[in-house]
Amino acid sequence: MRCALFAVAFLFAAAAFAAEAPTPVEADFRKMTAALSTADYEAFISGLGEGARERVTRERFEQMFEPYIARFKGGFESAYLTQLRQEGCEVHVWKVTFRDGGDDYLIKLALENGKVAGFRVH
């Protein structure tokens, strides 16, 4: 119950401070979620900075995102929530709601020196 109350409070607070992602960051997010919707490894890694691209092998891509691909394929909507500073990176956060009516996710897209250094689904 406490978790549900925290989540509701967080979402109301986020809505009150609704923001828009900077255009290049939004474009990166759209490109990468589109790649998840089609399970397109090449398109996904093309959005990553060089260091991150080297870490995300095809096998790692499949391990990390296989549980989410079917849900992305089924359609989703996203809402930009906020920007954070974490471990020296600029981190942008979206709420993703799926058409299947299941649980929502948060997606964090991390930038380092203006390049996508990380993409995480929570």
Side-chain angles (χ1 to χ4, degrees), residues 28-34 36 44 48 52 55-56 64-65 72 94 96 107-110 116-122:
D28 288 336
F29 173 79
R30 295 283 167 219
K31 180 178 186 176
M32 297 178 87
T33 54
L36 287 179
F44 185 84
L48 297 174
R55 289 189 307 271
V56 182
M64 289 184 335
F65 298 114
F72 278 94
W94 284 262
V96 178
I107 292 183
K108 289 182 174 180
L109 187 148
V116 177
F119 185 92
R120 188 147 299 188
V121 180
H122 299 276

Side-chain angles (χ1 to χ4, degrees), residues 77-97:
E77 294 183 18
S78 61
Y80 182 75
L81 298 177
T82 193
Q83 177 182 337
L84 308 168
R85 192 94 188 125
Q86 291 184 326
E87 298 179 23
C89 291
E90 177 183 320
V91 179
H92 297 268
V93 183
W94 284 262
K95 175 188 173 195
V96 178
T97 304

